[in-house]
Amino acid sequence: MSQENTPINLSSHFLIAMPGLTDDLFAHSVVYLCEHSEKGALGLIINKPTGLDLPLLFERVDLPFERHDLQQAEVLVGGPLQTERGFVLHEPLAPDVESPYSSTLKVGPNLEMTTSRDVLEAMSVGAGPKRALFTLGYSSWGQGQLETELAENAWLTVQADAQVLFETPAAQRYDAALGLLGLKPGVLMSSAGHA
């Protein structure tokens, strides 16, 4: 099989929007890719706040909020699809232990994505995953769509980093993700040349 036909798998990578990507939602965004295969890709934007914080989100779903460590955490816009649905990107409760939540997908070596209410119920009483990121909605690409966008220089890619996900404020994640590539925002140009 030639190098050109080898499918790429960017699961557990960040997509970093290039300046030429001007779509309102995806401009200046960082997406964590939960899944990427020949069938398409699914990801969560990790740097676009909704204006909601976690205590307000929990209030809206009629749950108390006992996670004092996450009082300031922001709820993010995960993407344009199913924007009324919550997605929790989090570390597993314990290594090599199956998730106790009813709808959890392993999305990286040390990451899971849960869409069921039971993760919120656990967190409402002070339990649940130690580090978590909350989004409303998700992003999706059909078969070959992401590869086309990559070929058109719409995105940079880099292996995802838990510190950027969980320790870096949302407003700083774009610059932090670029930093994983050794780049600064000012060095990117809005259009790329083609040889």
Side-chain angles (χ1 to χ4, degrees):
M1 183 181 260
S2 73
Q3 186 83 13
E4 290 178 13
N5 295 330
T6 303
I8 59 172
N9 181 345
L10 295 174
S11 299
S12 300
H13 279 68
F14 290 143
L15 295 179
I16 307 165
M18 288 289 284
L21 188 58
T22 57
D23 174 272
D24 285 344
L25 184 58
F26 289 106
H28 201 74
S29 68
V30 180
V31 177
Y32 175 81
L33 276 183
C34 300
E35 282 189 319
H36 182 219
S37 70
E38 68 281 349
K39 296 177 183 175
L42 179 143
L44 302 172
I45 299 172
I46 63 162
N47 68 324
K48 303 274 178 138
T50 62
L52 285 175
D53 61 18
L54 282 188
L56 185 55
L57 174 70
F58 275 68
E59 181 182 311
R60 287 189 177 178
V61 296
D62 297 321
L63 288 172
F65 189 67
E66 298 298 326
R67 287 293 299 269
H68 302 292
D69 57 321
L70 296 173
Q71 288 290 325
Q72 305 300 316
E74 299 173 289
V75 178
L76 305 168
V77 176
L81 304 171
Q82 294 189 11
T83 55
E84 71 291 339
R85 186 171 181 195
F87 296 81
V88 183
L89 188 62
H90 60 88
E91 293 179 323
L93 292 180
D96 303 318
V97 174
E98 189 172 324
S99 174
Y101 310 119
S102 63
S103 185
T104 297
L105 175 68
K106 186 170 177 56
V107 296
N110 293 305
L111 281 178
E112 297 174 343
M113 180 182 63
T114 299
T115 58
S116 50
R117 183 178 168 97
D118 49 2
V119 70
L120 299 180
E121 291 167 348
M123 296 183 93
S124 76
V125 296
K130 183 175 187 270
R131 298 199 301 180
L133 184 143
F134 296 78
T135 75
L136 293 175
Y138 71 97
S139 303
S140 179
W141 291 261
Q143 183 176 5
Q145 185 180 3
L146 180 57
E147 289 77 4
T148 298
E149 291 180 16
L150 289 167
E152 293 170 350
N153 297 311
W155 302 98
L156 293 172
T157 63
V158 66
Q159 184 70 44
D161 180 271
Q163 181 154 346
V164 173
L165 280 170
F166 300 119
E167 305 298 329
T168 305
Q172 297 171 18
R173 288 182 185 143
Y174 185 84
D175 292 354
L178 282 176
L180 296 173
L181 293 168
L183 299 174
K184 295 182 193 263
V187 302
L188 297 178
M189 300 193 359
S190 61
S191 62
H194 296 279

Short mmCIF file of all heavy atoms in Angstrom, two decimals, residues 93-118:
data_model
loop_
_atom_site.label_atom_id
_atom_site.label_comp_id
_atom_site.label_asym_id
_atom_site.label_seq_id
_atom_site.Cartn_x
_atom_site.Cartn_y
_atom_site.Cartn_z
N LEU A 93 -12.15 7.18 36.06
CA LEU A 93 -12.12 7.17 37.52
C LEU A 93 -10.91 6.42 38.05
O LEU A 93 -10.34 6.79 39.08
CB LEU A 93 -13.41 6.56 38.07
CG LEU A 93 -14.67 7.39 37.84
CD1 LEU A 93 -15.88 6.68 38.43
CD2 LEU A 93 -14.54 8.78 38.43
N ALA A 94 -10.53 5.36 37.36
CA ALA A 94 -9.35 4.58 37.75
C ALA A 94 -8.79 3.95 36.49
O ALA A 94 -9.53 3.60 35.57
CB ALA A 94 -9.73 3.51 38.77
N PRO A 95 -7.46 3.79 36.43
CA PRO A 95 -6.86 3.17 35.24
C PRO A 95 -7.36 1.74 35.05
O PRO A 95 -7.53 0.99 36.01
CB PRO A 95 -5.35 3.18 35.54
CG PRO A 95 -5.18 4.10 36.71
CD PRO A 95 -6.49 4.18 37.42
N ASP A 96 -7.58 1.37 33.81
CA ASP A 96 -7.97 0.01 33.43
C ASP A 96 -9.23 -0.51 34.11
O ASP A 96 -9.39 -1.70 34.32
CB ASP A 96 -6.80 -0.98 33.67
CG ASP A 96 -5.55 -0.57 32.92
OD1 ASP A 96 -5.68 -0.16 31.75
OD2 ASP A 96 -4.45 -0.64 33.51
N VAL A 97 -10.11 0.40 34.51
CA VAL A 97 -11.39 0.01 35.10
C VAL A 97 -12.49 0.51 34.18
O VAL A 97 -12.46 1.65 33.74
CB VAL A 97 -11.55 0.62 36.52
CG1 VAL A 97 -12.92 0.34 37.08
CG2 VAL A 97 -10.47 0.08 37.45
N GLU A 98 -13.45 -0.35 33.90
CA GLU A 98 -14.55 0.04 33.03
C GLU A 98 -15.35 1.17 33.65
O GLU A 98 -15.60 1.19 34.86
CB GLU A 98 -15.45 -1.17 32.76
CG GLU A 98 -16.47 -0.89 31.68
CD GLU A 98 -17.23 -2.14 31.28
OE1 GLU A 98 -16.62 -3.23 31.26
OE2 GLU A 98 -18.43 -2.02 31.00
N SER A 99 -15.76 2.10 32.83
CA SER A 99 -16.52 3.26 33.30
C SER A 99 -17.84 2.82 33.94
O SER A 99 -18.54 1.96 33.42
CB SER A 99 -16.81 4.21 32.14
OG SER A 99 -17.66 5.25 32.57
N PRO A 100 -18.21 3.45 35.06
CA PRO A 100 -19.50 3.13 35.69
C PRO A 100 -20.68 3.85 35.02
O PRO A 100 -21.83 3.59 35.37
CB PRO A 100 -19.31 3.64 37.12
CG PRO A 100 -18.36 4.79 36.97
CD PRO A 100 -17.43 4.40 35.85
N TYR A 101 -20.41 4.73 34.08
CA TYR A 101 -21.47 5.52 33.46
C TYR A 101 -22.06 4.77 32.28
O TYR A 101 -21.39 4.03 31.58
CB TYR A 101 -20.94 6.89 33.05
CG TYR A 101 -20.19 7.56 34.17
CD1 TYR A 101 -18.86 7.90 34.05
CD2 TYR A 101 -20.82 7.81 35.40
CE1 TYR A 101 -18.16 8.49 35.09
CE2 TYR A 101 -20.13 8.40 36.44
CZ TYR A 101 -18.80 8.73 36.28
OH TYR A 101 -18.12 9.29 37.33
N SER A 102 -23.34 4.99 32.04
CA SER A 102 -24.06 4.17 31.06
C SER A 102 -23.71 4.48 29.61
O SER A 102 -23.91 3.65 28.75
CB SER A 102 -25.57 4.28 31.28
OG SER A 102 -26.00 5.60 31.07
N SER A 103 -23.19 5.66 29.32
CA SER A 103 -22.87 5.99 27.94
C SER A 103 -21.51 6.67 27.86
O SER A 103 -21.40 7.90 27.79
CB SER A 103 -23.95 6.90 27.35
OG SER A 103 -23.70 7.14 25.99
N THR A 104 -20.46 5.86 27.91
CA THR A 104 -19.10 6.36 27.90
C THR A 104 -18.32 5.71 26.77
O THR A 104 -18.42 4.51 26.54
CB THR A 104 -18.40 6.06 29.25
OG1 THR A 104 -19.09 6.76 30.28
CG2 THR A 104 -16.95 6.50 29.24
N LEU A 105 -17.54 6.53 26.09
CA LEU A 105 -16.68 6.08 25.01
C LEU A 105 -15.23 6.39 25.39
O LEU A 105 -14.92 7.52 25.77
CB LEU A 105 -17.05 6.83 23.72
CG LEU A 105 -16.19 6.60 22.49
CD1 LEU A 105 -16.35 5.18 21.97
CD2 LEU A 105 -16.57 7.61 21.40
N LYS A 106 -14.37 5.38 25.32
CA LYS A 106 -12.94 5.62 25.55
C LYS A 106 -12.41 6.36 24.32
O LYS A 106 -12.54 5.86 23.20
CB LYS A 106 -12.21 4.29 25.75
CG LYS A 106 -10.76 4.45 26.12
CD LYS A 106 -10.18 3.10 26.54
CE LYS A 106 -8.73 3.15 26.86
NZ LYS A 106 -8.33 4.10 27.88
N VAL A 107 -11.84 7.55 24.52
CA VAL A 107 -11.42 8.37 23.39
C VAL A 107 -9.92 8.66 23.36
O VAL A 107 -9.44 9.38 22.49
CB VAL A 107 -12.20 9.71 23.33
CG1 VAL A 107 -13.68 9.44 23.10
CG2 VAL A 107 -11.98 10.54 24.58
N GLY A 108 -9.20 8.12 24.28
CA GLY A 108 -7.76 8.31 24.32
C GLY A 108 -7.17 7.40 25.36
O GLY A 108 -7.90 6.70 26.07
N PRO A 109 -5.85 7.40 25.47
CA PRO A 109 -5.23 6.50 26.43
C PRO A 109 -5.69 6.76 27.87
O PRO A 109 -5.83 5.85 28.66
CB PRO A 109 -3.73 6.75 26.27
CG PRO A 109 -3.59 7.93 25.39
CD PRO A 109 -4.89 8.19 24.72
N ASN A 110 -5.96 8.01 28.20
CA ASN A 110 -6.40 8.35 29.55
C ASN A 110 -7.60 9.29 29.53
O ASN A 110 -7.73 10.14 30.40
CB ASN A 110 -5.26 8.99 30.34
CG ASN A 110 -4.14 8.00 30.60
OD1 ASN A 110 -4.37 6.94 31.16
ND2 ASN A 110 -2.94 8.34 30.16
N LEU A 111 -8.46 9.13 28.52
CA LEU A 111 -9.63 10.00 28.41
C LEU A 111 -10.86 9.21 28.01
O LEU A 111 -10.78 8.24 27.26
CB LEU A 111 -9.40 11.08 27.35
CG LEU A 111 -8.56 12.29 27.73
CD1 LEU A 111 -8.41 13.21 26.55
CD2 LEU A 111 -9.18 13.04 28.90
N GLU A 112 -11.99 9.69 28.51
CA GLU A 112 -13.29 9.12 28.14
C GLU A 112 -14.24 10.28 27.85
O GLU A 112 -14.03 11.40 28.33
CB GLU A 112 -13.86 8.29 29.29
CG GLU A 112 -13.01 7.08 29.63
CD GLU A 112 -13.49 6.32 30.86
OE1 GLU A 112 -14.29 6.87 31.65
OE2 GLU A 112 -13.06 5.18 31.03
N MET A 113 -15.26 9.99 27.06
CA MET A 113 -16.31 10.97 26.80
C MET A 113 -17.63 10.33 27.22
O MET A 113 -17.97 9.26 26.75
CB MET A 113 -16.37 11.37 25.33
CG MET A 113 -17.48 12.39 25.06
SD MET A 113 -17.64 12.84 23.33
CE MET A 113 -18.09 11.28 22.58
N THR A 114 -18.34 11.01 28.11
CA THR A 114 -19.61 10.48 28.61
C THR A 114 -20.72 11.44 28.23
O THR A 114 -20.58 12.66 28.36
CB THR A 114 -19.55 10.31 30.14
OG1 THR A 114 -18.52 9.37 30.45
CG2 THR A 114 -20.87 9.79 30.69
N THR A 115 -21.84 10.86 27.76
CA THR A 115 -22.99 11.68 27.36
C THR A 115 -24.22 11.39 28.22
O THR A 115 -25.25 12.01 28.01
CB THR A 115 -23.34 11.43 25.88
OG1 THR A 115 -23.62 10.03 25.69
CG2 THR A 115 -22.21 11.86 24.97
N SER A 116 -24.10 10.50 29.18
CA SER A 116 -25.26 10.15 30.01
C SER A 116 -25.31 11.02 31.28
O SER A 116 -24.28 11.49 31.77
CB SER A 116 -25.23 8.67 30.38
OG SER A 116 -23.97 8.31 30.89
N ARG A 117 -26.50 11.21 31.78
CA ARG A 117 -26.74 12.07 32.95
C ARG A 117 -26.05 11.55 34.21
O ARG A 117 -25.75 12.32 35.12
CB ARG A 117 -28.25 12.20 33.16
CG ARG A 117 -28.64 13.12 34.30
CD ARG A 117 -30.15 13.23 34.43
NE ARG A 117 -30.56 13.87 35.66
CZ ARG A 117 -30.87 15.15 35.78
NH1 ARG A 117 -30.83 15.94 34.71
NH2 ARG A 117 -31.24 15.65 36.94
N ASP A 118 -25.76 10.25 34.26
CA ASP A 118 -25.20 9.68 35.49
C ASP A 118 -23.86 10.30 35.88
O ASP A 118 -23.53 10.38 37.06
CB ASP A 118 -25.13 8.15 35.44
CG ASP A 118 -24.49 7.60 34.18
OD1 ASP A 118 -24.04 8.38 33.32
OD2 ASP A 118 -24.46 6.36 34.04
#
